[in-house]
Amino acid sequence: MYKIRKAEKLADKIYLMDVEAPRVAKHCEPGQFVIVKMDDKGERIPLTICDYDREAGTITIVFQCVGASTEKMAMLKAGDSFRDFTGPLGCPSEFVEEDVESLKKKKILFVAGGVGAAPVYPQVKWMKEQGIDVDVIVGAKTKDMLILEPEMEAVAGNYYPCTDDGTYGHSGMVTTKIEKLVEEGNKYDVCVAIGPMIMMKFVCLLTKKLEIPTVVSMNPIMVDGTGMCGACRLHVGDEIKFACVDGPEFDGHLVNFDEAMKRQEMYRTEEGRAMLKLQEGDTHHGGCGHCGGDE
Amino acid sequence: MADVLKKVPVREQDPKVRATNFEEVCYGYNQEEAMDEATRCINCKNAQCVKGCPVGIDIPAFIQQVKEGNIEEAYKIIGQSSALPAVCGRVCPQESQCEGKCIRGIKGEPVSIGKLERFVADYALENDIKPVGADKMNGHKVAVIGSGPAGLTCAGDLAKLGYEVTVFEALHELGGVLVYGIPEFRLPKLKVVAKEIDKVKELGVKFETNVVIGKSTTIDQLIEEEGFEAVFIGSGAGLPKFMGIPGENANGVFSANEYLTRSNLMKAFDDSYDTPIAAGKKVAVVGGGNVAMDAARTALRLGAEVHIVYRRSEEELPARVEEVHHAKEEGVQFDLLTNPVEILEENGWVTGIKCIRMELGEPDASGRRRPVAIEGSEFVIDVDTVIMSLGTSPNPLISSTTEGLEVNKWKCIVADEELGKTSKDGVYAGGDAVTGAATVILAMGAGKAGAQGIHEYLSNK
């Protein structure tokens, strides 16, 4: 069992937890993820590592409620435990292996969308620790949905919040902010974009035009997360890659986003049913009452 | 009295009924039937059956005990050679191992050794007969990577010799392919696998789940930082193969590993569990091995019409005869001499599988007749789900993170057969990680060899 030290609500449907997992905390690097399983009957869910404390032996995870399992997870409190917590999984971000001096010469732009701020944070923090100031754009639908703001501001060189509805910071999508920064004369050597697939797709379409090499962190459906099933496979150029072992980070200009987004929808009906069952509790009888629903 | 030429028949669930549930197909012998079958063994002096068993169980000796009704005695005899008899009695391909060599098989049917072993093991599980552990610990620490058949056997053998053994498992449940691969209807998880693993725990073996060696820690760190003096790698061959044909990433195409993991390990077939499975209405399973049969029979139980698509003929099917027989009885359809060339899709979802008819040509280097495509014979099978069961290879995670560990061109760890010794001092390996995908009992044999190798290594250190 993996004990939850801290559980905190960051925004509507977005939660942060510190979980005791000494083996993961000892070995993880920015860019990697964990797989958590809540209880005996739970499913295995991949979550990016948001932060880690090697001495305390804890891992920070941030998740958004998007279905039955994450809604149930949100009910966990400090002192509760996850039945399973596996990791670190996937490859660390490539820059972890890079020579710090040559890294210092590069101008790097991080772009986070929604809950994607969580996986971007450890990377920006790592950069700060190496003495590298990077530009960070964080986008959210509204001001209330912007997460980890003070943390990000503390480690970013330049921090640019954006909201779709203009309630805070730059008004508009992250892509318009990227364009604006480039127009203002910023020349980026590399862009790292993490968020919903649709956002990563549009960032990549733009950065391809702007000729900025772009790294994305893919979040397909996963089961084991160790390379034994291929549920997370995707096309990168002409090659089939398993996101859990070959990634999750890939060259965004080579990823087939349309296929990847289609694959994310594979269990839409099943997920909808599970969600309905959870919301309706004992009153759940399946479906609308005419179609037979679950039967 | 039993007919000497024929096996005492074993009771099974009716095919029509069992095709709709996940309960075990074969009920096994009761004591009366087992004792009856045991009388068919002629207790050969130079028993061939023992030579056919990869772990060398003293078969005639245990069967003589069954004949006399001393089931606990019989269990002790099996226990000297095998750590997982309730598993092996169920899943070994006995027709090509022990039973294939039985003298009775020349004129009639061989003695039903597998079913007798299963009876004895189930009796021990039901009556909670404990295995015999070490008298005292010898003070040496050994790590075992992987809790599949190879790792469990190696750990059990080492514990009996007095070693302090810790098994590291990447998944959240113990058992490897016994829990994620082989379905409930062939191998019950709680009733058999979990209890069999409890017996290994009773020997003093410690288990740590959710540890991915190569990620959570490495073999070098286990040795340098955690004080393990030797390591046995039994990490299996879990990496699935795909065909590389167009349409393979469409929604509704799965590796057999994913389909079976969802159903067996995550219990997606049971509504009270959270993991979903896209069962499919009409399913094509590509391949002809045991895994293909397991996937096909699982899909059938989830309510689909199921086709096995295999490029050779029935004779070459690599699956166990009993499983092919069971699949046919349950209504799985076999499209033989048929090879997929493309998966058809609409809006990203599978709508069909385009195949080409094959004929058998000249034997190839392996002696099997090579299938050759018949030009212009393409046709389409309308399906909404395709399960690829083309075999697996070892996951490179461990070999790529362990310094000085030699692998061959198939990414299999190079280890000697007798003692499992690898190119790295103190590191032993066995099972599918070394051979590529094979059988449970061969993995157990390799686990035994590895335990012997480690014992010799640490005794001489």
Short mmCIF file of all heavy atoms in Angstrom, two decimals, chain B residues 99-131:
data_model
loop_
_atom_site.label_atom_id
_atom_site.label_comp_id
_atom_site.label_asym_id
_atom_site.label_seq_id
_atom_site.Cartn_x
_atom_site.Cartn_y
_atom_site.Cartn_z
N GLU B 99 3.37 -37.76 -20.95
CA GLU B 99 2.40 -38.73 -21.50
C GLU B 99 2.80 -39.19 -22.89
O GLU B 99 2.44 -40.29 -23.31
CB GLU B 99 0.99 -38.12 -21.51
CG GLU B 99 0.43 -37.92 -20.11
CD GLU B 99 -0.98 -37.33 -20.08
OE1 GLU B 99 -1.71 -37.47 -21.07
OE2 GLU B 99 -1.34 -36.73 -19.05
N GLY B 100 3.54 -38.33 -23.60
CA GLY B 100 4.01 -38.70 -24.93
C GLY B 100 4.98 -39.88 -24.88
O GLY B 100 5.17 -40.59 -25.87
N LYS B 101 5.62 -40.08 -23.72
CA LYS B 101 6.62 -41.15 -23.60
C LYS B 101 6.06 -42.39 -22.90
O LYS B 101 6.75 -43.40 -22.77
CB LYS B 101 7.81 -40.62 -22.79
CG LYS B 101 8.55 -39.48 -23.47
CD LYS B 101 9.98 -39.88 -23.74
CE LYS B 101 10.59 -39.13 -24.87
NZ LYS B 101 11.21 -37.91 -24.61
N CYS B 102 4.84 -42.32 -22.37
CA CYS B 102 4.28 -43.41 -21.57
C CYS B 102 4.10 -44.68 -22.40
O CYS B 102 3.54 -44.64 -23.50
CB CYS B 102 2.93 -42.97 -20.98
SG CYS B 102 2.07 -44.26 -20.08
N ILE B 103 4.56 -45.83 -21.85
CA ILE B 103 4.49 -47.12 -22.54
C ILE B 103 3.05 -47.50 -22.87
O ILE B 103 2.76 -48.08 -23.91
CB ILE B 103 5.12 -48.23 -21.63
CG1 ILE B 103 6.58 -47.92 -21.35
CG2 ILE B 103 4.96 -49.61 -22.25
CD1 ILE B 103 7.48 -47.89 -22.56
N ARG B 104 2.14 -47.17 -21.97
CA ARG B 104 0.72 -47.45 -22.20
C ARG B 104 0.22 -46.82 -23.51
O ARG B 104 -0.76 -47.28 -24.10
CB ARG B 104 -0.11 -46.87 -21.05
CG ARG B 104 -0.21 -47.77 -19.85
CD ARG B 104 -1.41 -48.69 -19.99
NE ARG B 104 -1.55 -49.56 -18.83
CZ ARG B 104 -1.56 -50.88 -18.91
NH1 ARG B 104 -1.40 -51.48 -20.08
NH2 ARG B 104 -1.71 -51.60 -17.83
N GLY B 105 0.88 -45.76 -23.90
CA GLY B 105 0.46 -45.03 -25.09
C GLY B 105 0.74 -45.76 -26.40
O GLY B 105 0.23 -45.37 -27.45
N ILE B 106 1.54 -46.81 -26.35
CA ILE B 106 1.88 -47.52 -27.59
C ILE B 106 0.66 -48.27 -28.13
O ILE B 106 0.33 -48.20 -29.30
CB ILE B 106 3.06 -48.49 -27.36
CG1 ILE B 106 4.31 -47.68 -26.99
CG2 ILE B 106 3.32 -49.32 -28.63
CD1 ILE B 106 5.49 -48.51 -26.57
N LYS B 107 -0.04 -48.99 -27.22
CA LYS B 107 -1.20 -49.77 -27.68
C LYS B 107 -2.53 -49.08 -27.39
O LYS B 107 -3.53 -49.41 -27.98
CB LYS B 107 -1.19 -51.14 -26.99
CG LYS B 107 -0.28 -52.12 -27.69
CD LYS B 107 -0.45 -53.50 -27.07
CE LYS B 107 0.59 -54.47 -27.59
NZ LYS B 107 0.78 -55.57 -26.64
N GLY B 108 -2.53 -48.18 -26.45
CA GLY B 108 -3.79 -47.50 -26.11
C GLY B 108 -3.51 -46.06 -25.76
O GLY B 108 -2.65 -45.43 -26.38
N GLU B 109 -4.23 -45.56 -24.79
CA GLU B 109 -3.99 -44.19 -24.35
C GLU B 109 -2.98 -44.20 -23.21
O GLU B 109 -3.00 -45.11 -22.36
CB GLU B 109 -5.31 -43.55 -23.87
CG GLU B 109 -6.27 -43.26 -25.01
CD GLU B 109 -7.57 -42.62 -24.54
OE1 GLU B 109 -7.83 -42.56 -23.31
OE2 GLU B 109 -8.34 -42.21 -25.40
N PRO B 110 -2.10 -43.19 -23.16
CA PRO B 110 -1.13 -43.14 -22.06
C PRO B 110 -1.85 -42.90 -20.73
O PRO B 110 -3.01 -42.49 -20.72
CB PRO B 110 -0.26 -41.94 -22.42
CG PRO B 110 -1.10 -41.10 -23.31
CD PRO B 110 -1.98 -42.04 -24.07
N VAL B 111 -1.13 -43.15 -19.64
CA VAL B 111 -1.69 -42.85 -18.32
C VAL B 111 -1.91 -41.33 -18.24
O VAL B 111 -1.09 -40.55 -18.74
CB VAL B 111 -0.71 -43.31 -17.20
CG1 VAL B 111 -1.21 -42.85 -15.83
CG2 VAL B 111 -0.55 -44.81 -17.24
N SER B 112 -3.00 -40.94 -17.63
CA SER B 112 -3.35 -39.52 -17.55
C SER B 112 -2.54 -38.84 -16.45
O SER B 112 -3.06 -38.45 -15.41
CB SER B 112 -4.85 -39.42 -17.27
OG SER B 112 -5.32 -38.16 -17.62
N ILE B 113 -1.24 -38.70 -16.71
CA ILE B 113 -0.31 -38.21 -15.68
C ILE B 113 -0.65 -36.79 -15.23
O ILE B 113 -0.66 -36.48 -14.03
CB ILE B 113 1.15 -38.26 -16.20
CG1 ILE B 113 1.52 -39.70 -16.58
CG2 ILE B 113 2.13 -37.72 -15.15
CD1 ILE B 113 2.79 -39.83 -17.42
N GLY B 114 -0.97 -35.94 -16.21
CA GLY B 114 -1.29 -34.54 -15.88
C GLY B 114 -2.49 -34.44 -14.95
O GLY B 114 -2.46 -33.72 -13.95
N LYS B 115 -3.54 -35.19 -15.27
CA LYS B 115 -4.76 -35.12 -14.46
C LYS B 115 -4.51 -35.71 -13.06
O LYS B 115 -5.10 -35.28 -12.07
CB LYS B 115 -5.90 -35.88 -15.14
CG LYS B 115 -6.30 -35.32 -16.50
CD LYS B 115 -7.07 -34.01 -16.39
CE LYS B 115 -7.64 -33.54 -17.71
NZ LYS B 115 -6.62 -33.09 -18.69
N LEU B 116 -3.62 -36.72 -12.97
CA LEU B 116 -3.29 -37.29 -11.66
C LEU B 116 -2.49 -36.29 -10.82
O LEU B 116 -2.73 -36.13 -9.63
CB LEU B 116 -2.50 -38.60 -11.83
CG LEU B 116 -3.32 -39.80 -12.31
CD1 LEU B 116 -2.41 -41.00 -12.59
CD2 LEU B 116 -4.41 -40.18 -11.31
N GLU B 117 -1.54 -35.62 -11.48
CA GLU B 117 -0.75 -34.61 -10.78
C GLU B 117 -1.67 -33.50 -10.27
O GLU B 117 -1.57 -33.06 -9.13
CB GLU B 117 0.29 -34.01 -11.74
CG GLU B 117 1.15 -32.93 -11.08
CD GLU B 117 2.04 -32.17 -12.07
OE1 GLU B 117 1.68 -32.11 -13.26
OE2 GLU B 117 3.07 -31.65 -11.64
N ARG B 118 -2.60 -33.09 -11.13
CA ARG B 118 -3.55 -32.05 -10.76
C ARG B 118 -4.40 -32.49 -9.56
O ARG B 118 -4.62 -31.71 -8.63
CB ARG B 118 -4.45 -31.77 -11.98
CG ARG B 118 -5.61 -30.88 -11.64
CD ARG B 118 -6.58 -30.76 -12.79
NE ARG B 118 -7.87 -30.34 -12.25
CZ ARG B 118 -8.77 -29.63 -12.89
NH1 ARG B 118 -8.56 -29.29 -14.13
NH2 ARG B 118 -9.90 -29.28 -12.31
N PHE B 119 -4.84 -33.76 -9.59
CA PHE B 119 -5.66 -34.24 -8.48
C PHE B 119 -4.88 -34.16 -7.15
O PHE B 119 -5.38 -33.66 -6.15
CB PHE B 119 -6.12 -35.69 -8.72
CG PHE B 119 -6.64 -36.34 -7.48
CD1 PHE B 119 -7.87 -35.94 -6.94
CD2 PHE B 119 -5.88 -37.27 -6.78
CE1 PHE B 119 -8.33 -36.48 -5.76
CE2 PHE B 119 -6.34 -37.81 -5.59
CZ PHE B 119 -7.57 -37.42 -5.08
N VAL B 120 -3.64 -34.63 -7.19
CA VAL B 120 -2.82 -34.64 -5.98
C VAL B 120 -2.60 -33.20 -5.48
O VAL B 120 -2.73 -32.91 -4.28
CB VAL B 120 -1.45 -35.33 -6.25
CG1 VAL B 120 -0.50 -35.14 -5.08
CG2 VAL B 120 -1.66 -36.80 -6.55
N ALA B 121 -2.29 -32.30 -6.41
CA ALA B 121 -2.02 -30.91 -6.03
C ALA B 121 -3.27 -30.23 -5.49
O ALA B 121 -3.21 -29.51 -4.49
CB ALA B 121 -1.47 -30.15 -7.24
N ASP B 122 -4.40 -30.46 -6.13
CA ASP B 122 -5.65 -29.86 -5.66
C ASP B 122 -6.00 -30.39 -4.27
O ASP B 122 -6.49 -29.65 -3.41
CB ASP B 122 -6.80 -30.15 -6.63
CG ASP B 122 -6.72 -29.27 -7.88
OD1 ASP B 122 -5.79 -28.45 -7.96
OD2 ASP B 122 -7.58 -29.43 -8.77
N TYR B 123 -5.74 -31.67 -4.05
CA TYR B 123 -5.99 -32.28 -2.75
C TYR B 123 -5.15 -31.56 -1.68
O TYR B 123 -5.63 -31.22 -0.60
CB TYR B 123 -5.63 -33.76 -2.81
CG TYR B 123 -5.79 -34.52 -1.51
CD1 TYR B 123 -6.98 -35.19 -1.22
CD2 TYR B 123 -4.75 -34.58 -0.58
CE1 TYR B 123 -7.13 -35.90 -0.02
CE2 TYR B 123 -4.88 -35.27 0.62
CZ TYR B 123 -6.08 -35.93 0.89
OH TYR B 123 -6.21 -36.61 2.07
N ALA B 124 -3.89 -31.29 -2.03
CA ALA B 124 -3.00 -30.61 -1.08
C ALA B 124 -3.46 -29.18 -0.81
O ALA B 124 -3.37 -28.68 0.31
CB ALA B 124 -1.56 -30.60 -1.61
N LEU B 125 -3.98 -28.51 -1.85
CA LEU B 125 -4.48 -27.15 -1.67
C LEU B 125 -5.73 -27.16 -0.77
O LEU B 125 -5.85 -26.37 0.15
CB LEU B 125 -4.84 -26.51 -3.01
CG LEU B 125 -3.70 -26.17 -3.97
CD1 LEU B 125 -4.25 -25.53 -5.25
CD2 LEU B 125 -2.68 -25.23 -3.34
N GLU B 126 -6.64 -28.10 -1.06
CA GLU B 126 -7.88 -28.16 -0.29
C GLU B 126 -7.63 -28.56 1.17
O GLU B 126 -8.31 -28.09 2.08
CB GLU B 126 -8.85 -29.16 -0.92
CG GLU B 126 -9.66 -28.55 -2.06
CD GLU B 126 -10.12 -29.61 -3.07
OE1 GLU B 126 -10.36 -30.76 -2.65
OE2 GLU B 126 -10.23 -29.26 -4.26
N ASN B 127 -6.66 -29.43 1.39
CA ASN B 127 -6.40 -29.91 2.75
C ASN B 127 -5.26 -29.18 3.43
O ASN B 127 -4.79 -29.58 4.50
CB ASN B 127 -6.14 -31.42 2.73
CG ASN B 127 -7.38 -32.18 2.29
OD1 ASN B 127 -8.30 -32.37 3.07
ND2 ASN B 127 -7.42 -32.56 1.03
N ASP B 128 -4.81 -28.09 2.77
CA ASP B 128 -3.79 -27.22 3.34
C ASP B 128 -2.55 -27.98 3.81
O ASP B 128 -2.08 -27.82 4.94
CB ASP B 128 -4.40 -26.40 4.49
CG ASP B 128 -3.57 -25.15 4.77
OD1 ASP B 128 -2.88 -24.69 3.85
OD2 ASP B 128 -3.60 -24.67 5.92
N ILE B 129 -2.06 -28.83 2.95
CA ILE B 129 -0.82 -29.57 3.28
C ILE B 129 0.37 -28.66 2.96
O ILE B 129 0.50 -28.15 1.85
CB ILE B 129 -0.73 -30.87 2.47
CG1 ILE B 129 -1.91 -31.77 2.85
CG2 ILE B 129 0.60 -31.58 2.73
CD1 ILE B 129 -2.11 -32.94 1.92
N LYS B 130 1.21 -28.42 3.97
CA LYS B 130 2.30 -27.45 3.81
C LYS B 130 3.52 -28.07 3.12
O LYS B 130 3.82 -29.24 3.33
CB LYS B 130 2.74 -26.94 5.19
CG LYS B 130 1.60 -26.31 5.98
CD LYS B 130 1.80 -24.83 6.14
CE LYS B 130 0.81 -24.20 7.07
NZ LYS B 130 -0.47 -23.86 6.43
N PRO B 131 4.21 -27.27 2.31
CA PRO B 131 5.46 -27.77 1.75
C PRO B 131 6.54 -27.78 2.83
O PRO B 131 6.40 -27.12 3.86
CB PRO B 131 5.78 -26.74 0.66
CG PRO B 131 5.12 -25.49 1.13
CD PRO B 131 3.92 -25.89 1.93
#
